[in-house]
Amino acid sequence: MNNHGSILPYSHEIGRIHNEEPHIVTEQLKAGAKLAFIQNGEFKLVVNAEQSIDVRNGFCYMLTSDNHWQLEHRFEANSQIDFVTIDFSRQYFDTFTQLPQQTLEASYQGVTAISMPINACMQSVICQLHTCPLNSCSTPFYRQAKCFELAALLVQQLETKDNRTAFPHTKDALRAKEVAQLICQDLAKSYTSEQLAKLAGFNVRKLNNLFIGLYSCSVADFIRNKKMEKAWELLAIHKLDVTNTSAMVGYSFAHFSTLFHQHFGVPPSHVR
């Protein structure tokens, strides 16, 4: 887990938690807003020792309070969580609480919690936060900028009139998650939506609707997003060349370069 300080009235944390045993982490928080973006894993949040929230993979959460409050993170055994959290001080409270609150998860003693799926733009920024390509001196400034960009994307999504997506709590959703796991197991493979729908026993429309409910994107967009996230990691962290990276995510060199530039706004050669 990596914690980075800040010259601004906010703090952030980027990292991975692996729990071999059930584990509880308790935070004592001041007035303000806490944003949590969960890229992998599931656990429970408990607000003021009373209200429980199920935190889901692929969702972001905004919790606000105008007073001191307590937050418990309850992790199951053998759980792995990839996350970004951003804590804003009291001076940002009004900015977040004036937003439309379409999806109220909890309200207890002045604490409210809102959840929504992480969209493709957020996923791109989260990937860049986890795999910062800059050196140690410039890393804090890069990550501060990306955290504010991530907060801006969340605010923008909340300001949208209808950002709610029904979350499917069904056996069909579990099968859709199995499809997502299959995709992520080998990103060099190139599946079509039709192939995956047939494997899951759905038609393409139903599988896409399930993916939108679970991951806020279609099957095709999910595949592309995961391939791009992996490509950024291979280039920025493992320092692979563009040719090998494109092969490892199942694209030709030319097609990969075009998609990468469209997704991140920079050509892959600029990341290494």
Side-chain angles (χ1 to χ4, degrees), residues 80-178:
Q80 180 172 294
I81 315 296
D82 294 304
F83 67 93
V84 174
T85 61
I86 311 171
D87 293 277
F88 288 96
S89 66
R90 179 66 179 80
Q91 76 177 71
Y92 288 93
F93 181 76
D94 291 341
T95 301
F96 291 106
T97 55
Q98 289 173 4
L99 294 168
Q101 299 187 6
Q102 289 98 329
T103 312
L104 184 62
E105 296 278 349
S107 181
Y108 185 78
Q109 294 183 353
V111 179
T112 61
I114 300 170
S115 70
M116 70 207 75
I118 294 172
N119 61 31
C121 293
M122 292 178 187
Q123 287 175 341
S124 176
V125 176
I126 291 168
C127 180
Q128 293 170 51
L129 278 165
H130 278 287
T131 58
C132 175
L134 304 182
N135 61 40
S136 58
C137 293
S138 54
T139 294
F141 298 101
Y142 177 89
R143 284 189 163 145
Q144 284 177 358
K146 289 298 175 183
C147 282
F148 272 82
E149 182 180 355
L150 198 53
L153 290 170
L154 182 148
V155 169
Q156 182 184 46
Q157 184 162 330
L158 274 174
E159 287 178 328
T160 303
K161 289 183 179 179
D162 186 11
N163 60 48
R164 289 172 291 179
T165 304
F167 185 81
H169 295 281
T170 64
K171 291 182 180 179
D172 288 349
L174 295 177
R175 287 158 66 190
K177 284 186 176 183
E178 290 174 356

Side-chain angles (χ1 to χ4, degrees), residues 9-260:
Y10 95 111
S11 62
H12 68 269
E13 195 169 359
I14 305 161
R16 170 176 292 175
I17 298 173
H18 181 75
N19 301 287
E20 295 183 357
E21 302 292 335
H23 187 54
I24 297 177
V25 176
T26 302
E27 290 184 275
Q28 302 296 333
L29 299 166
K30 296 181 180 180
K34 186 178 189 71
L35 313 183
F37 300 82
I38 310 303
Q39 201 173 20
N40 180 57
E42 297 183 353
F43 60 98
K44 285 187 180 294
L45 288 177
V46 180
V47 179
N48 288 334
E50 290 284 342
Q51 190 73 43
S52 177
I53 303 169
D54 290 323
V55 173
R56 304 191 292 259
N57 172 33
F59 275 68
C60 55
Y61 298 81
M62 182 180 79
L63 297 96
T64 57
S65 176
D66 60 358
N67 209 334
H68 287 66
W69 57 295
Q70 177 180 291
L71 187 63
E72 290 183 4
H73 305 71
R74 297 185 178 181
F75 303 105
E76 298 292 333
N78 299 315
S79 61
Q80 180 172 294
I81 315 296
D82 294 304
F83 67 93
V84 174
T85 61
I86 311 171
D87 293 277
F88 288 96
S89 66
R90 179 66 179 80
Q91 76 177 71
Y92 288 93
F93 181 76
D94 291 341
T95 301
F96 291 106
T97 55
Q98 289 173 4
L99 294 168
Q101 299 187 6
Q102 289 98 329
T103 312
L104 184 62
E105 296 278 349
S107 181
Y108 185 78
Q109 294 183 353
V111 179
T112 61
I114 300 170
S115 70
M116 70 207 75
I118 294 172
N119 61 31
C121 293
M122 292 178 187
Q123 287 175 341
S124 176
V125 176
I126 291 168
C127 180
Q128 293 170 51
L129 278 165
H130 278 287
T131 58
C132 175
L134 304 182
N135 61 40
S136 58
C137 293
S138 54
T139 294
F141 298 101
Y142 177 89
R143 284 189 163 145
Q144 284 177 358
K146 289 298 175 183
C147 282
F148 272 82
E149 182 180 355
L150 198 53
L153 290 170
L154 182 148
V155 169
Q156 182 184 46
Q157 184 162 330
L158 274 174
E159 287 178 328
T160 303
K161 289 183 179 179
D162 186 11
N163 60 48
R164 289 172 291 179
T165 304
F167 185 81
H169 295 281
T170 64
K171 291 182 180 179
D172 288 349
L174 295 177
R175 287 158 66 190
K177 284 186 176 183
E178 290 174 356
V179 171
Q181 290 171 357
L182 176 65
I183 292 166
C184 295
Q185 281 173 4
D186 188 356
L187 292 171
K189 289 186 177 180
S190 296
Y191 293 104
T192 66
S193 299
E194 289 77 11
Q195 289 172 328
L196 293 169
K198 186 176 181 179
L199 286 172
F202 302 134
N203 59 41
V204 173
R205 181 177 180 180
K206 182 170 183 178
L207 185 60
N208 274 325
N209 286 339
L210 287 164
F211 264 67
I212 290 169
L214 287 163
Y215 307 111
S216 193
C217 63
S218 68
V219 175
D221 286 343
F222 179 88
I223 293 171
R224 184 178 63 252
N225 292 341
K226 291 301 179 183
K227 286 176 180 283
M228 290 299 102
E229 289 171 13
K230 183 63 176 179
W232 183 283
E233 177 186 332
L234 293 171
L235 292 165
I237 301 299
H238 301 290
K239 305 301 180 183
L240 263 66
D241 59 61
V242 178
T243 300
N244 284 325
T245 298
S246 62
M248 290 187 71
V249 293
Y251 291 124
S252 67
F253 180 89
H255 189 43
F256 169 72
S257 297
T258 300
L259 287 177
F260 191 95

